[in-house]
Amino acid sequence: MSAVDDFLETTVDVIGQIWTAATTPVDPPSQTVVLAAGLVALAVVLVTPVWRVARHVVTIAHEGAHAVAAMLTGRRLDGIRLHSDTSGLTVSAGRARGFGMIVTAFAGYVGPGLTGLGAAWLLRQGYAVGLLWLLVVLLALLLLKIRNWFGLWSVLISGGALVAVSWWLEPEAQSTVAYAVTWFLLLGSVRPVFELQAQRSQGRARRSDADQLGTLTRTTGILWVIVFLLVTVGCLVLGATWIVEPASGA
């Protein structure tokens, strides 16, 4: 058997193992572990020095949501940049006004919360390991559109950490990590909205997503900040309910 045949056989075997692990439901951790994971995630969000590092994950979800919204509404996605100060930029081409631009601008701040809500639903169905591998796939797709070195390393490190957890840890540990990541996405989606309004009040965010939406819809930026807050808090409440309460029949 040639080296190519060996490589293909190994690749198929690895993919098969990943698929089996991802599509096999696992038992959730105990309620104590689930709540502890939530408390850890809350501490990460509230403790500012830790948050400044962890916020890069929220930025990845934020810019990824812009990118998905742009493509779904028919805009051409040109590239994504992630910066060391936790800011980001997603560039898409298309009409400067209209439905596509509104949806694209809206998606960023609600993206992490909606991602967390989807993750909570998968956990409710028992697919904790599947969630981790799905996040790896999404990061790999995002990597194709990254256009700067810091963004490249941010996505690679995040994806590498998830691959390590998904491949080498035991199912119980994988499930715990999946719950912690989901808690963080849900909780971490809210703080940036408050940070946005703090920057706006100081005149440092005149081109924010909220203000762009205000211009696009002939309303005001503060209206969209309130909408962002309602959506993210709503995702947090519903997602937390799904995480804490077992699915019916479970």
Side-chain angles (χ1 to χ4, degrees):
M1 183 178 293
S2 67
V4 173
D5 290 334
D6 286 339
F7 174 77
L8 291 175
E9 183 178 343
T10 301
T11 301
V12 170
D13 182 59
V14 168
I15 293 174
Q17 291 181 55
I18 292 173
W19 178 258
T20 300
T23 57
T24 302
V26 296
D27 292 330
S30 67
Q31 286 291 87
T32 300
V33 172
V34 170
L35 295 176
L39 290 175
V40 170
L42 180 61
V44 170
V45 172
L46 294 180
V47 178
T48 299
V50 182
W51 168 248
R52 287 172 181 161
V53 177
R55 196 188 191 285
H56 289 290
V57 175
V58 176
T59 302
I60 290 172
H62 178 117
E63 300 304 330
H66 278 315
V68 170
M71 291 187 293
L72 289 179
T73 55
R75 299 179 63 80
R76 188 184 76 244
L77 180 62
D78 289 335
I80 301 169
R81 292 177 176 270
L82 305 171
H83 304 134
S84 59
D85 63 355
T86 72
S87 66
L89 177 66
T90 298
V91 179
S92 63
R95 291 181 56 194
R97 306 185 70 89
F99 178 74
M101 190 63 201
I102 291 172
V103 173
T104 300
F106 176 73
Y109 276 95
V110 302
L114 292 172
T115 302
L117 185 62
W121 183 83
L122 285 174
L123 294 180
R124 187 175 173 84
Q125 309 309 312
Y127 295 109
V129 180
L131 168 62
L132 296 175
W133 282 115
L134 176 60
L135 292 175
V136 170
V137 171
L138 293 176
L139 286 173
L141 294 174
L142 185 68
L143 196 63
L144 300 176
K145 288 297 183 177
I146 296 294
R147 295 295 182 264
N148 69 326
W149 284 109
F150 184 85
L152 177 69
W153 286 113
S154 293
V155 175
L156 282 175
I157 290 171
S158 300
L162 287 175
V163 169
V165 168
S166 304
W167 186 257
W168 282 293
L169 294 188
E170 295 297 320
E172 295 80 5
Q174 293 170 342
S175 185
T176 300
V177 171
Y179 274 82
V181 169
T182 301
W183 274 119
F184 177 72
L185 288 170
L186 292 170
L187 292 163
S189 68
V190 180
R191 179 164 176 172
V193 181
F194 287 102
E195 293 175 339
L196 167 64
Q197 183 53 29
Q199 292 174 346
R200 293 183 71 254
S201 67
Q202 298 166 10
R204 296 191 292 116
R206 299 185 185 278
R207 291 295 298 163
S208 70
D209 292 349
D211 292 290
Q212 290 184 51
L213 284 165
T215 300
L216 289 168
T217 59
R218 298 181 181 180
T219 56
T220 60
I222 188 61
L223 171 65
W224 290 100
V225 173
I226 294 171
V227 173
F228 292 159
L229 185 61
L230 290 174
V231 173
T232 53
V233 171
C235 288
L236 171 58
V237 172
L238 181 56
T241 301
W242 285 349
I243 289 173
V244 174
E245 293 182 359
S248 57

